[in-house]
Amino acid sequence: MSDFNLPEPSPDPLLDLIGRYRADSRAHKIDLGVGVYRNDKGDTPVLAAVKTAEAILLEQQESKSYLGLTGDTEFVKLLGNLIFSKPGSNEPLSASNKFLSGAQTPGGSGALRVASELFCAIRPSATLWVGVPTWPNHLPLTQAAGLKTQCYDAFCKDTQTILFDAMVKALSTAQSGDGVLIHGCCHNPTGADLSVEQIQTLCQLMNDKGLMPVVDLAYHGLGEGLQQDLQATREIVQQCPHTLIAASCSKNFGLYRDRVGAVFITTGDQKRADNTQAYFGHIARRIYSMPPDHGAATVRLILSDETLKQQWLAELDTMVSRVKALRNAIAKQQPGLDFVSRQRGMFSLLPLNSQQVDSLINDHAVYLAGDGRINIAGCQLDQVEQFCNALSEVGFNGLR
Ligand code: LMR
């Protein structure tokens, strides 16, 4: 066999930080890198509701035989109800002339990949419009599925403002049939979410131009609370004829390594919903065949048992309260960082240059992404002062 050479892949900018942080022996190190929630002890424990559900699963599960290409259909149904049905009403979407189909996927990334492949199949020559900055894997992941992408500026780091007019201007040049990537809530990396009015304007624009929203929903429950965090997604689904949604259970169920997610599409008729449902399976078969079961079965047990569900919701409330308290503490410690308290979810994007980021990591043991993104949930309340002092020492005192 002849030899072969591969190009050295560039390290993933976020995942690379995990190894670097672990290898650092400084006791005062702070991990604001990868988007993982930490509690007030700095741990990412298995949630109590998850532990209980896993014990039930261990006891009850009698087979690990294949389930099928779209995974655990009851999990998909329950997750769909949680995301799309308003509280108190478990009314299926079809009651509002929207039909939902969905499939379990390996995490939110798997859902994005399947969504991208479906979008390519629906609109082979269409472009996906992506506001930047965005999650660094959005472009490689969607492009690997065959999508053409077009970026536009959607946020100004220096003023910490959403460039909504620029967004509208860019999307006004999109072609009918193009897609628009939208962060459902807790924007990654900026923490700056569109207002309800902006979402409505965006929906109007997408409908006028014939554009399809593709919603990435990864942090619901970690911004203002579950119901509020789902508002934008529900609004888009109601307003637009077809919406693709990639949902993750990594963060809000703390099931990161178990890879739990689902892809959904809302359409206007049952026939199309059934057809897309089958197509999700067709796509999955060509990539991974079937999603892993354990995490999705765990979520199914939680969502189907009112006591476990309430326990999980209470744990989620603890998480969001901690993130909000940290945001407020950072703003109080350094008034120039006041904007942090107005942003949502785990991330904010600080206007730091690469020398400042390097110095924070190397000289101050504060780990953060190269673009200046910080994972607020990685900080401890008693580290806030140290963090703000480190920012000052690299010459960043917030906005003036
Ligand atoms: C992040 O943005 O840090 C997380 O979504 C982890 C990842 O896969 O990049």
Side-chain angles (χ1 to χ4, degrees), residues 13 21 31-32 43 55 105 114 143 171 174 188 203 232 244 246 274 288 323 348 395:
Y21 176 81
D31 182 8
L32 309 182
D43 301 325
T105 55
V114 174
Q143 287 165 356
L171 294 178
N188 180 4
C203 288
L244 265 166
D274 293 344
Y288 51 79
V323 173
S348 282

Side-chain angles (χ1 to χ4, degrees), residues 13-231:
L14 290 173
L15 302 186
D16 188 45
L17 283 168
I18 299 177
R20 290 177 65 195
Y21 176 81
R22 278 196 194 130
D24 190 332
S25 58
R26 289 174 288 183
H28 62 284
K29 63 185 177 180
I30 303 179
D31 182 8
L32 309 182
V34 75
V36 169
Y37 174 84
R38 288 179 192 274
N39 67 14
D40 53 13
K41 296 187 178 63
D43 301 325
T44 309
V46 180
L47 298 187
V50 166
K51 278 268 187 212
T52 308
E54 284 183 313
I56 297 171
L57 191 61
L58 192 66
E59 182 68 25
Q60 290 183 350
Q61 195 167 51
E62 282 178 351
S63 173
K64 288 199 181 279
S65 169
Y66 295 128
L67 276 182
L69 298 173
T70 53
D72 185 329
T73 49
E74 188 61 16
F75 155 80
V76 176
K77 188 173 143 214
L78 289 163
L79 189 66
N81 278 346
L82 182 83
I83 295 173
F84 302 106
S85 302
K86 300 225 167 79
S89 104
N90 260 348
E91 196 176 74
L93 269 181
S94 51
S96 53
N97 293 331
K98 293 276 183 237
F99 294 81
L100 183 68
S101 44
Q104 185 201 325
T105 55
S109 295
L112 273 173
R113 171 72 190 223
V114 174
S116 301
E117 296 231 2
L118 186 82
F119 189 73
C120 274
I122 297 174
R123 310 253 188 254
S125 58
T127 294
L128 181 71
W129 289 74
V130 182
V132 290
T134 194
W135 180 50
N137 206 25
H138 270 147
L139 293 175
L141 190 156
T142 52
Q143 287 165 356
L147 275 182
K148 280 195 290 248
T149 54
Q150 172 76 46
C151 294
Y152 60 91
D153 289 330
F155 184 76
C156 173
K157 252 193 203 190
D158 293 327
T159 56
Q160 293 290 311
T161 44
I162 293 175
L163 303 175
F164 191 66
D165 291 346
M167 186 183 296
V168 169
K169 196 165 164 211
L171 294 178
S172 302
T173 67
Q175 301 297 308
S176 173
D178 283 356
V180 182
L181 182 71
I182 301 170
H183 296 234
C185 62
C186 306
H187 188 280
N188 180 4
T190 68
D193 285 344
L194 297 174
S195 67
V196 178
E197 294 72 31
Q198 286 171 331
I199 287 285
Q200 283 165 349
T201 306
L202 187 59
C203 288
Q204 187 66 52
L205 175 67
M206 290 190 292
N207 288 344
D208 290 349
K209 302 269 321 171
L211 311 178
M212 192 199 282
V214 180
V215 179
D216 184 0
L217 189 60
Y219 293 88
H220 41 307
L222 288 152
E224 286 296 326
L226 187 63
Q227 296 306 329
Q228 202 165 328
D229 293 349
L230 289 168
Q231 251 179 20

Side-chain angles (χ1 to χ4, degrees), residues 344-387:
R344 287 181 185 161
M346 285 171 37
F347 307 118
S348 282
L349 185 68
L350 306 183
L352 301 166
N353 60 37
S354 56
Q355 285 85 0
Q356 288 172 312
V357 171
D358 287 346
S359 174
L360 282 165
I361 295 176
N362 298 328
D363 306 325
H364 302 279
V366 175
Y367 282 77
L368 72 166
D371 59 358
R373 187 191 84 171
I374 53 168
N375 169 21
I376 309 268
C379 199
Q380 297 303 307
L381 271 177
D382 62 7
Q383 291 174 323
V384 165
E385 187 178 352
Q386 180 197 338
F387 166 59

